Amino acid sequence: MAGGPGGERVLRMSQNQSTLARLMRLHGDVRVDFMTSPALEGNALGDPAQRPLAVYLPPHYDPQGSKRYPVLYCLHGYTGDVAGLLATRPWESNVVQRIDRLIARQQMPAALLVIVDGFTRLGGSQYVDSIHNGNYATYVTRDVIAHVDRDYRTVASEGGRAVFGKSSGGFGSLHLCMNYPGFFSAFASHSGDAYFRYADPPLFVQAQRTLEKHQWDIAKFVEQFEDANKRPQSDYSTMEFLGYTSAYSPRSATPFDFDLPFDRSTGEIRDDVWARWLAFDPAEICTQKKPELSRLRLRYLDCGRRDEYSLDVGARVLAARMREMGLDVRHEEFDDDHRNVGYRYDVSLPALAGVLERS
Amino acid sequence: MAGGPGGERVLRMSQNQSTLARLMRLHGDVRVDFMTSPALEGNALGDPAQRPLAVYLPPHYDPQGSKRYPVLYCLHGYTGDVAGLLATRPWESNVVQRIDRLIARQQMPAALLVIVDGFTRLGGSQYVDSIHNGNYATYVTRDVIAHVDRDYRTVASEGGRAVFGKSSGGFGSLHLCMNYPGFFSAFASHSGDAYFRYADPPLFVQAQRTLEKHQWDIAKFVEQFEDANKRPQSDYSTMEFLGYTSAYSPRSATPFDFDLPFDRSTGEIRDDVWARWLAFDPAEICTQKKPELSRLRLRYLDCGRRDEYSLDVGARVLAARMREMGLDVRHEEFDDDHRNVGYRYDVSLPALAGVLERS
Amino acid sequence: MAGGPGGERVLRMSQNQSTLARLMRLHGDVRVDFMTSPALEGNALGDPAQRPLAVYLPPHYDPQGSKRYPVLYCLHGYTGDVAGLLATRPWESNVVQRIDRLIARQQMPAALLVIVDGFTRLGGSQYVDSIHNGNYATYVTRDVIAHVDRDYRTVASEGGRAVFGKSSGGFGSLHLCMNYPGFFSAFASHSGDAYFRYADPPLFVQAQRTLEKHQWDIAKFVEQFEDANKRPQSDYSTMEFLGYTSAYSPRSATPFDFDLPFDRSTGEIRDDVWARWLAFDPAEICTQKKPELSRLRLRYLDCGRRDEYSLDVGARVLAARMREMGLDVRHEEFDDDHRNVGYRYDVSLPALAGVLERS
Amino acid sequence: MAGGPGGERVLRMSQNQSTLARLMRLHGDVRVDFMTSPALEGNALGDPAQRPLAVYLPPHYDPQGSKRYPVLYCLHGYTGDVAGLLATRPWESNVVQRIDRLIARQQMPAALLVIVDGFTRLGGSQYVDSIHNGNYATYVTRDVIAHVDRDYRTVASEGGRAVFGKSSGGFGSLHLCMNYPGFFSAFASHSGDAYFRYADPPLFVQAQRTLEKHQWDIAKFVEQFEDANKRPQSDYSTMEFLGYTSAYSPRSATPFDFDLPFDRSTGEIRDDVWARWLAFDPAEICTQKKPELSRLRLRYLDCGRRDEYSLDVGARVLAARMREMGLDVRHEEFDDDHRNVGYRYDVSLPALAGVLERS
């Protein structure tokens, strides 16, 4: 109970608010739809095609009204999901509580915020189309947007949409803007995966050690992981590795059939597979994406200077490359590490909403 | 998405389920009521008297039916609240998901589970009546129980109720059973606060250092804490200390007016105030509570043998004392620390439900 | 190689210097004597009665000359020994290198520095007379001082001697000055053990858990510890606990025959044994030691404000008590923890040498 | 005092032993020579050309006798030096204590052990010839060997010499055997630097952040580092980075004039400089060193499977490459990390001594 950070004590709860909105003590409201995505059907991991979709509605939103709102699409990070981003923590504000407060304080224009569920059995999809995981990029850009534009009063065009997220969610934002032009007109990547050369190889070694212990039976490793009460940190990083592998170097639609980016027996890097990973690295490919990046109204990057995955380097490389292409970038750094940097949304959300079209 | 631990893949979602129940993928349902407690009104901290109350309803629960259910009251730990206990985490099960699975698998009789909100601005009430915080023991035993028995189909008697929780929730369970007889007929204390002589003095030193830096202006410390984006671990433990102080040695109904259990200038323990804390220590007072303990149908204690607060000693002392009084105790230890031990509910919930009256 | 901190590049090595002095790049010299102490003979642990004793000699020291020097007796901490204090570390200065530099820079008067070996099979003696460990207080005050005054050109009187040390060495300094008056005229306790009520109980719990795992066979635990290639941190803290127990609550001269300060089965504190420990606590007993403390020329205490053993509280309590007795104390705090605070010798050594008699 | 691991209680101290030998409680003896190396004169860092050299002499070694001994050359790791390797720690054995015990127990043939000093102002030379640091490979292979063969009774030929070490000392052993054939006939690399692709890039990011904070004034950073009482971990890893840079990509004999393997402004890897580093990586170059490797009598590699620098992969790659070349390798893994693995000398020293020529 008690006010969260900022000490909002005056609340306007309404009987019309959802339970979740009341638990979050919102001025606006939040809904959860359960939508089915054709893009996710029949995936090898057996993840559901029906997904929750959280939609934040600002105060005064009227489903029958004539006003239309821009939409900020939020992509969660690795191990996140819709339920996770709706969770609250004492003395902290989640992304919904933040946008609600920003709008209530008139620090940004009213907007919808949509939280997309990109979780998989391996912890996350990276929002890419994968022969193994399912087509998560298509799910977001085609199925989710269609659902939102159909059921809510949105500015239903590229100019009315932005995409943002943290960590893998930041990566997803970059990936969708660079490879699926025409859906979003702005992105904010907070501590987003970029410059894989620093971020990813440390995961390889841990995974090589762990999977060797499991005789390279990935299915069994995953099952044991799921069934365990507690797990060592190395098991978590191995799952993270498998999540990325299933996204970047899948081999087929057979469960757990991936190309590993290292040699099983020694652990040394396999440059052929590694090249497939690097083809997803925003820092590597951005120079080939000038048309896609140029059409954006805002390119926002930030990262903590103590990021454990060295993603501050990724953001710097991205910013430098875009500027070399003649594009403006908003690039900020701050003194923090990779975790619990949601307070940065107080910077990015007003910036994103500020460039979008309103009705 | 994907199945959680245990791999429940078959789901029976219904349009009648609440959004929360669907996000948790329950067989049963979960409701959140917002009830107002007279016991909490006008407290010095300014915490709301209106609180959320989560009620889990098992499959086939019929509000119009004739069947009545026993009720397990769940008390969260320090920094917990209702929203926190309803949150989900990837590859983990919260207490609601656990009881739902246990009932669905017929590993325990059907029961309601009620999550009580005992959060305060200082992070938690310890479920005690405090001149400063408000009367949280009365709130639970009088106001919450009355609400539940009025609005749900319960076995509305001592024999139909148990109370349990982890950490401060385990403490609360012990506290209420020892000091408020007649409401509950069983408790389960998981890693519950007991034997303060080990658990609490380490907090004193940290608090002395932190509060001295803040010139002993507790109100200002708390405000800065609430407003911060990030906080050092020592600030969290100082808040925890203040939470306990406000419960065990409040001085008045003036905000932040407590007696500290240490000398401000040196940090040495003040034995007079410390004695007031020890009067709340279950391990110290249990020998005076034989009548209250004797009427219980089940006394359940467990703790990890690597508990960072040494609460395994507390559980051992409690178990030994009760046995010396001629009372049966179920006492278990396991190889783990204080955190993320929710898997222990799979042991305690069937045990509690097994001794309660059913209609 | 390369200059250490402070960048002393000009060296005056001499063929007369010892190998150790050349490795340390000293201006002066250092000798190691191997002396036999009657006080240590026949101890239950089987520790040798012959001990190394390191003696630092300042530049221009002349064993045939007429000049006599005050002596600073250095007591190492728990797990320390003479060899350990003579070890060097890159970019750091040990206590011998520090006094040598202070004298060379004329930041303190020339003095001898003697390092006493108080190690035992359990990691340290606390410099107390123990029926079990041997009489380490007598060893220092009788045997070591006699050896030094006989073989070196010292000011051979109370006024020419000070004692100092860190952690258990600080404790030893306090213990010897409070209980063996007439030998030293000044002490410096750096992060010295005091206020056991905070410092020691956390060790009890760990020891209870560890020794229970070893079926309370202490001899076997110690042997396994000694034979292991690697040991968990809990084994180290259990050894530390045993070291203190053998000093504070020994039961007999039979190996490993101690009174434990906790109940074996539950871990709760045994107040009778605990009282024997507290009788060694400088913070508890100092008020009864006014005559012994009054005769000192300097009482020096310091401690880091992040000390993991809460010894900053101990130093504060000691300083407060002495001031209440009307005694001057030099008491300093600094922003650091318990480890690697040798730079504080740059403050204490000049202060100690400054009050001692010189010839 | 007290016996170390293994419990050697019977000691044969002699008045002829050096002080160091007595402090270490050796059966044999240890000497420290201070020799001047022409190869190190005039280096840019200002490190001394005169270096200590520790020589372990087994029991019964007779400088006037006719018996000649094989010599094991020990290369310390980064931040090590001769004094550091002679230091003792409670309950541990250093490399000299280990060889002494192995010989005393007749677990290996008698041999000399020589500890070479390869420290620099930046923490270590990697034992390579560097235009900036000085010619440490030449120093070892030419100056040190000549000194030892002149002053001690050695088998003064390739067949009588082995080289070994841990971490950077393991790297040095590999480097000297691969690039300076004819001096040693066996090596043991314990957790030796290899497969830089995993081990080194994590250092780059930390160094980029740290040096940017110091405005790229490396000299000033180093001076501040040397003068500090305490330093953050990131400063240590930046020093480590500078140590490697000064060895692998020096630019000139001007102090602190290196080529950094990353772009200053972004931190991204500079592949041209990185290639110069990789040219020192044993895992990269070993395939070109078949003649040098073939002449060896023993190739010994081991590494812990939890090595923080991923050097277990390096050892695996090396072992695989050598086997592909048709060379035998002794390759062992163990369940430990990078630190305190001196117990592995109990395996490697007998193996090395076993293949060397004896008189």
Side-chain angles (χ1 to χ4, degrees):
Chain A
M1 290 304 96
E8 297 295 292
R9 296 277 152 64
V10 183
L11 296 162
R12 281 160 285 163
M13 288 184 180
S14 136
Q15 292 308 320
N16 295 327
Q17 278 184 313
S18 67
T19 295
L20 278 164
R22 295 187 73 185
L23 283 172
M24 289 189 217
R25 306 165 72 87
L26 300 181
H27 304 80
D29 203 359
V30 64
R31 308 275 152 182
V32 178
D33 299 339
F34 291 84
M35 59 163 284
T36 297
S37 164
L40 302 186
E41 277 173 357
N43 63 76
L45 280 173
D47 285 310
Q50 191 194 56
R51 294 296 173 108
L53 187 79
V55 183
Y56 167 77
L57 305 171
H60 314 305
Y61 175 87
D62 179 359
Q64 268 72 49
S66 62
K67 184 170 165 61
R68 293 188 166 274
Y69 294 84
V71 187
L72 308 179
Y73 285 83
C74 176
L75 307 182
H76 59 74
Y78 179 77
T79 73
D81 62 9
V82 159
L85 264 70
L86 294 176
T88 62
R89 294 196 309 148
W91 305 306
E92 305 295 339
S93 298
N94 64 28
V95 67
V96 174
Q97 291 169 315
R98 286 190 183 274
I99 193 172
D100 184 66
R101 190 169 56 205
L102 288 164
I103 292 171
R105 292 179 177 175
Q106 300 188 297
Q107 291 169 335
M108 64 178 274
L112 303 193
L113 184 145
V114 169
I115 305 175
V116 180
D117 195 291
F119 193 71
T120 74
R121 194 175 172 196
L122 295 173
S125 62
Q126 300 297 96
Y127 306 96
V128 306
D129 280 2
S130 159
I131 188 174
H132 181 275
N133 291 347
N135 295 321
Y136 282 82
T138 302
Y139 151 64
V140 180
T141 54
R142 187 189 67 193
D143 302 339
V144 169
I145 288 177
H147 172 94
V148 173
D149 283 340
R150 188 190 67 223
D151 285 8
Y152 295 90
R153 298 203 56 77
T154 64
V155 177
S157 63
E158 179 180 1
R161 295 187 208 104
V163 63
F164 74 98
K166 206 211 93 178
S167 195
S168 290
F171 167 83
S173 303
L174 291 163
H175 178 73
L176 297 180
C177 286
M178 286 193 198
N179 295 284
Y180 298 80
F183 294 103
F184 304 105
S185 62
F187 70 78
S189 168
H190 296 278
S191 311
D193 301 14
Y195 207 68
F196 291 4
R197 289 181 74 178
Y198 284 140
D200 290 341
L203 293 171
F204 298 175
V205 184
Q206 196 52 67
Q208 197 274 339
R209 294 167 179 165
T210 301
L211 294 175
E212 184 176 89
K213 268 190 216 157
H214 286 79
Q215 290 85 42
W216 303 99
D217 187 336
I218 295 175
K220 202 168 157 197
F221 165 76
V222 172
E223 279 158 29
Q224 287 185 2
F225 182 93
E226 290 171 338
D227 289 348
N229 283 331
K230 290 270 177 123
R231 309 150 186 117
Q233 185 54 43
S234 55
D235 280 6
Y236 282 99
S237 59
T238 299
M239 280 296 278
E240 185 180 356
F241 165 81
L242 292 174
Y244 300 163
T245 305
S246 69
Y248 302 147
S249 55
R251 197 154 46 201
S252 77
T254 306
F256 307 117
D257 188 31
F258 324 126
D259 286 311
L260 301 180
F262 53 76
D263 181 83
R264 282 192 182 190
S265 59
T266 60
E268 68 190 304
I269 293 171
R270 278 183 56 185
D271 282 318
D272 56 338
V273 182
W274 181 221
R276 291 170 62 193
W277 285 50
L278 293 175
F280 283 96
D281 183 347
E284 302 284 340
I285 62 168
C286 63
T287 53
Q288 305 152 37
K289 301 292 179 178
K290 186 169 179 187
E292 293 83 354
L293 290 165
S294 299
R295 65 192 290 154
L296 300 173
R297 299 167 178 217
L298 176 66
R299 291 163 288 272
Y300 175 104
L301 301 164
D302 72 19
C303 195
R305 265 300 258 173
R306 293 183 274 120
D307 190 280
E308 294 87 343
Y309 296 89
S310 307
L311 301 177
D312 49 329
V313 172
R316 285 189 172 205
V317 172
L318 275 169
R321 292 290 166 278
M322 292 187 202
R323 284 171 183 151
E324 287 163 12
M325 287 189 267
L327 303 175
D328 282 336
V329 188
R330 181 160 174 185
H331 174 229
E332 299 189 6
E333 294 187 333
F334 48 96
D335 181 28
D336 206 342
D337 58 26
H338 192 72
R339 301 179 59 192
N340 300 331
V341 295
Y343 57 87
R344 296 296 307 173
Y345 296 139
D346 288 358
V347 179
S348 63
L349 299 188
L352 291 172
V355 301
L356 296 187
E357 288 174 17
R358 289 167 251 170
S359 74
Chain B
M1 291 304 94
E8 295 296 290
R9 297 275 152 65
V10 182
L11 296 163
R12 280 160 288 164
M13 289 186 179
S14 136
Q15 292 308 321
N16 294 326
Q17 279 185 313
S18 67
T19 294
L20 278 164
R22 295 187 74 187
L23 283 172
M24 289 189 217
R25 305 167 72 87
L26 300 181
H27 304 81
D29 202 0
V30 63
R31 308 275 152 183
V32 178
D33 298 340
F34 291 84
M35 60 163 285
T36 297
S37 165
L40 302 186
E41 276 173 358
N43 65 75
L45 279 174
D47 284 310
Q50 191 195 55
R51 294 296 174 108
L53 187 78
V55 183
Y56 167 78
L57 305 172
H60 315 305
Y61 175 86
D62 178 358
Q64 267 73 47
S66 61
K67 183 170 167 62
R68 293 187 166 274
Y69 294 85
V71 187
L72 308 179
Y73 286 82
C74 176
L75 308 182
H76 59 74
Y78 178 76
T79 72
D81 61 10
V82 161
L85 265 70
L86 295 176
T88 62
R89 294 197 308 150
W91 304 305
E92 306 294 339
S93 299
N94 66 28
V95 68
V96 175
Q97 291 170 314
R98 287 190 182 276
I99 192 172
D100 184 67
R101 190 168 56 203
L102 288 164
I103 292 171
R105 292 179 177 175
Q106 299 188 297
Q107 292 170 336
M108 66 177 275
L112 303 194
L113 184 145
V114 169
I115 306 174
V116 180
D117 194 290
F119 193 71
T120 74
R121 193 177 172 194
L122 295 172
S125 62
Q126 300 297 97
Y127 305 96
V128 307
D129 280 2
S130 158
I131 188 175
H132 181 275
N133 291 346
N135 295 323
Y136 282 82
T138 302
Y139 150 64
V140 179
T141 54
R142 188 189 65 193
D143 303 338
V144 169
I145 288 177
H147 173 94
V148 172
D149 283 340
R150 188 190 67 223
D151 285 9
Y152 295 91
R153 296 204 57 78
T154 64
V155 178
S157 64
E158 180 180 1
R161 294 186 209 104
V163 63
F164 74 99
K166 207 212 90 178
S167 194
S168 290
F171 168 84
S173 303
L174 291 163
H175 177 73
L176 296 181
C177 285
M178 287 192 195
N179 296 284
Y180 297 81
F183 293 104
F184 303 105
S185 62
F187 70 77
S189 168
H190 296 278
S191 311
D193 300 15
Y195 208 67
F196 292 2
R197 288 181 75 178
Y198 284 140
D200 289 341
L203 293 171
F204 298 177
V205 184
Q206 195 51 67
Q208 197 273 340
R209 294 168 180 166
T210 301
L211 294 174
E212 185 176 89
K213 267 189 217 157
H214 287 79
Q215 289 85 41
W216 302 99
D217 187 337
I218 295 174
K220 202 168 156 197
F221 165 76
V222 172
E223 280 159 27
Q224 287 184 1
F225 182 93
E226 290 172 337
D227 290 348
N229 282 332
K230 291 269 177 123
R231 310 147 186 119
Q233 184 53 41
S234 55
D235 280 8
Y236 282 99
S237 60
T238 299
M239 280 295 279
E240 185 180 356
F241 166 80
L242 292 174
Y244 300 162
T245 305
S246 69
Y248 301 147
S249 55
R251 198 153 48 202
S252 77
T254 306
F256 307 116
D257 189 31
F258 325 125
D259 285 311
L260 301 180
F262 53 77
D263 181 83
R264 280 193 183 189
S265 60
T266 60
E268 67 190 305
I269 294 170
R270 279 184 55 185
D271 281 318
D272 55 339
V273 182
W274 183 220
R276 292 169 62 194
W277 285 50
L278 292 175
F280 283 96
D281 183 349
E284 302 285 340
I285 63 169
C286 62
T287 54
Q288 306 152 37
K289 302 292 179 180
K290 186 170 178 186
E292 294 83 353
L293 290 165
S294 300
R295 65 193 291 155
L296 300 173
R297 300 167 177 215
L298 176 65
R299 292 162 287 273
Y300 176 103
L301 301 164
D302 71 21
C303 195
R305 265 301 257 172
R306 293 183 274 120
D307 191 280
E308 293 87 343
Y309 295 90
S310 306
L311 301 176
D312 49 330
V313 172
R316 285 188 172 207
V317 173
L318 274 169
R321 293 290 166 276
M322 291 187 201
R323 286 170 183 152
E324 287 163 13
M325 286 189 269
L327 304 175
D328 283 335
V329 189
R330 180 161 175 186
H331 173 229
E332 300 189 6
E333 293 187 334
F334 48 94
D335 180 28
D336 206 342
D337 58 25
H338 191 73
R339 303 178 58 192
N340 300 330
V341 295
Y343 57 87
R344 297 296 307 174
Y345 295 140
D346 288 357
V347 179
S348 63
L349 299 188
L352 291 172
V355 300
L356 296 187
E357 288 173 19
R358 288 167 254 172
S359 73
Chain C
M1 289 304 94
E8 296 295 292
R9 296 277 152 65
V10 182
L11 295 162
R12 280 161 286 163
M13 288 185 179
S14 136
Q15 292 309 319
N16 295 328
Q17 278 185 314
S18 68
T19 295
L20 278 164
R22 294 187 73 186
L23 284 173
M24 289 189 218
R25 306 166 71 87
L26 300 182
H27 304 80
D29 202 0
V30 65
R31 309 272 151 184
V32 178
D33 299 339
F34 291 83
M35 60 162 285
T36 297
S37 165
L40 302 186
E41 277 174 356
N43 63 75
L45 280 174
D47 285 310
Q50 191 196 54
R51 294 296 173 109
L53 188 78
V55 183
Y56 168 77
L57 305 172
H60 316 303
Y61 175 86
D62 179 358
Q64 270 72 49
S66 61
K67 184 170 166 61
R68 291 187 168 274
Y69 295 84
V71 187
L72 308 180
Y73 285 82
C74 176
L75 309 182
H76 59 75
Y78 178 77
T79 72
D81 61 10
V82 160
L85 264 69
L86 295 175
T88 61
R89 294 196 309 149
W91 305 306
E92 305 295 338
S93 299
N94 65 28
V95 68
V96 174
Q97 291 170 313
R98 287 190 183 275
I99 192 172
D100 184 66
R101 190 169 55 204
L102 288 164
I103 293 171
R105 292 180 178 174
Q106 300 188 296
Q107 291 170 335
M108 65 177 275
L112 303 193
L113 184 145
V114 170
I115 305 174
V116 180
D117 193 290
F119 193 72
T120 74
R121 194 177 173 195
L122 295 172
S125 62
Q126 300 297 96
Y127 306 96
V128 307
D129 280 1
S130 158
I131 188 175
H132 181 275
N133 291 346
N135 294 324
Y136 282 83
T138 302
Y139 151 63
V140 179
T141 54
R142 188 188 67 191
D143 303 339
V144 169
I145 288 177
H147 172 94
V148 172
D149 283 341
R150 189 190 68 221
D151 286 7
Y152 295 90
R153 297 205 57 78
T154 64
V155 178
S157 64
E158 179 180 2
R161 294 186 210 103
V163 63
F164 74 98
K166 206 211 93 176
S167 194
S168 290
F171 168 83
S173 304
L174 291 162
H175 177 72
L176 296 181
C177 286
M178 287 192 196
N179 296 285
Y180 298 81
F183 293 103
F184 303 105
S185 62
F187 70 78
S189 168
H190 296 279
S191 311
D193 299 15
Y195 208 68
F196 291 3
R197 289 180 75 178
Y198 284 140
D200 289 341
L203 292 171
F204 299 176
V205 185
Q206 195 52 66
Q208 198 272 341
R209 293 167 180 165
T210 301
L211 294 174
E212 185 176 88
K213 269 190 217 157
H214 287 80
Q215 290 84 41
W216 303 100
D217 188 336
I218 295 176
K220 202 167 156 196
F221 166 75
V222 172
E223 280 158 28
Q224 288 184 2
F225 182 92
E226 290 172 338
D227 290 347
N229 283 330
K230 291 270 177 123
R231 308 149 186 118
Q233 184 52 42
S234 55
D235 280 7
Y236 282 99
S237 60
T238 298
M239 280 296 278
E240 185 180 356
F241 166 80
L242 292 173
Y244 300 162
T245 305
S246 68
Y248 302 147
S249 55
R251 196 153 49 200
S252 78
T254 305
F256 306 116
D257 189 30
F258 324 125
D259 285 312
L260 301 181
F262 53 76
D263 182 83
R264 280 192 184 191
S265 60
T266 61
E268 68 189 305
I269 294 171
R270 278 185 54 187
D271 281 318
D272 55 339
V273 182
W274 182 222
R276 292 170 61 193
W277 285 50
L278 293 175
F280 282 96
D281 183 349
E284 302 284 339
I285 63 168
C286 63
T287 53
Q288 306 153 37
K289 302 292 180 182
K290 186 170 178 185
E292 294 83 353
L293 290 165
S294 299
R295 64 193 292 154
L296 300 174
R297 299 168 177 216
L298 176 65
R299 291 162 289 273
Y300 176 104
L301 301 164
D302 72 20
C303 194
R305 266 299 258 174
R306 292 182 275 121
D307 191 280
E308 292 87 344
Y309 296 89
S310 307
L311 301 176
D312 50 328
V313 172
R316 286 188 171 205
V317 172
L318 274 168
R321 294 290 167 277
M322 292 187 201
R323 285 172 183 151
E324 287 162 11
M325 288 189 269
L327 303 175
D328 281 337
V329 188
R330 180 159 175 186
H331 173 230
E332 299 189 6
E333 294 186 334
F334 47 95
D335 180 28
D336 206 342
D337 58 27
H338 192 72
R339 302 180 58 192
N340 300 330
V341 295
Y343 57 87
R344 296 296 307 173
Y345 295 139
D346 288 357
V347 179
S348 63
L349 299 188
L352 291 171
V355 301
L356 295 187
E357 289 173 18
R358 288 168 253 171
S359 75
Chain D
M1 290 304 96
E8 296 296 289
R9 294 278 151 63
V10 183
L11 296 162
R12 282 161 284 164
M13 287 185 180
S14 138
Q15 292 309 322
N16 294 327
Q17 278 185 313
S18 67
T19 295
L20 278 164
R22 295 188 74 185
L23 283 173
M24 289 189 218
R25 307 166 73 85
L26 300 182
H27 304 81
D29 202 359
V30 64
R31 309 274 151 182
V32 178
D33 299 338
F34 291 83
M35 60 162 283
T36 297
S37 164
L40 302 186
E41 277 173 357
N43 64 76
L45 279 173
D47 284 310
Q50 192 194 55
R51 294 297 173 109
L53 187 78
V55 183
Y56 168 76
L57 305 172
H60 315 304
Y61 175 87
D62 179 358
Q64 269 71 48
S66 61
K67 184 170 165 63
R68 293 187 167 274
Y69 294 84
V71 188
L72 308 179
Y73 285 82
C74 176
L75 308 182
H76 59 74
Y78 179 77
T79 73
D81 61 10
V82 160
L85 263 70
L86 295 176
T88 62
R89 294 196 310 150
W91 304 307
E92 305 295 339
S93 300
N94 65 28
V95 68
V96 174
Q97 292 170 313
R98 286 190 182 274
I99 191 172
D100 184 67
R101 190 169 55 204
L102 288 165
I103 293 171
R105 291 179 177 174
Q106 300 188 295
Q107 292 170 335
M108 66 178 275
L112 304 194
L113 184 145
V114 170
I115 306 174
V116 180
D117 194 290
F119 193 72
T120 73
R121 193 176 174 197
L122 295 173
S125 62
Q126 300 297 95
Y127 306 96
V128 307
D129 281 1
S130 158
I131 188 174
H132 181 275
N133 291 346
N135 295 322
Y136 281 84
T138 302
Y139 151 63
V140 179
T141 54
R142 187 188 67 190
D143 302 339
V144 169
I145 287 177
H147 173 94
V148 172
D149 283 340
R150 189 189 66 221
D151 286 8
Y152 295 90
R153 296 203 58 77
T154 63
V155 177
S157 63
E158 179 180 1
R161 295 186 208 103
V163 63
F164 74 99
K166 206 211 93 178
S167 194
S168 289
F171 167 82
S173 304
L174 292 163
H175 178 73
L176 296 181
C177 286
M178 286 192 198
N179 296 285
Y180 297 81
F183 294 103
F184 304 106
S185 62
F187 70 79
S189 168
H190 296 278
S191 311
D193 300 14
Y195 208 67
F196 291 3
R197 289 181 75 178
Y198 283 142
D200 290 340
L203 293 170
F204 298 175
V205 184
Q206 196 51 67
Q208 197 272 341
R209 293 168 180 164
T210 301
L211 294 174
E212 185 177 89
K213 268 190 214 156
H214 287 80
Q215 290 83 42
W216 303 100
D217 187 337
I218 295 175
K220 202 167 157 198
F221 166 75
V222 171
E223 280 158 28
Q224 288 185 3
F225 182 93
E226 289 171 338
D227 290 347
N229 284 331
K230 291 268 177 125
R231 307 147 188 119
Q233 185 53 42
S234 55
D235 280 7
Y236 282 99
S237 59
T238 299
M239 279 297 277
E240 185 180 357
F241 166 79
L242 292 174
Y244 300 162
T245 305
S246 68
Y248 301 146
S249 55
R251 197 154 47 201
S252 77
T254 305
F256 307 116
D257 188 30
F258 324 125
D259 286 312
L260 301 180
F262 52 76
D263 181 83
R264 281 192 183 189
S265 60
T266 60
E268 67 189 305
I269 294 171
R270 278 184 55 186
D271 281 318
D272 55 339
V273 182
W274 183 220
R276 291 170 61 193
W277 287 49
L278 292 175
F280 283 96
D281 182 349
E284 302 285 340
I285 62 169
C286 62
T287 53
Q288 307 152 36
K289 301 292 179 181
K290 186 170 178 186
E292 294 83 354
L293 291 165
S294 299
R295 64 192 292 154
L296 300 173
R297 298 166 178 218
L298 177 64
R299 292 162 288 273
Y300 175 104
L301 301 165
D302 72 18
C303 194
R305 266 300 258 172
R306 293 182 274 119
D307 191 280
E308 293 87 343
Y309 296 89
S310 306
L311 300 176
D312 50 329
V313 172
R316 286 188 170 206
V317 172
L318 275 168
R321 293 290 166 276
M322 291 187 203
R323 285 171 183 151
E324 288 163 10
M325 286 189 270
L327 304 175
D328 281 337
V329 188
R330 181 160 174 187
H331 173 229
E332 299 189 8
E333 294 187 334
F334 47 97
D335 181 27
D336 206 341
D337 58 27
H338 192 73
R339 302 179 58 192
N340 300 330
V341 295
Y343 57 87
R344 297 295 307 173
Y345 295 139
D346 288 358
V347 179
S348 62
L349 299 188
L352 291 172
V355 300
L356 295 187
E357 289 174 17
R358 289 167 252 169
S359 73

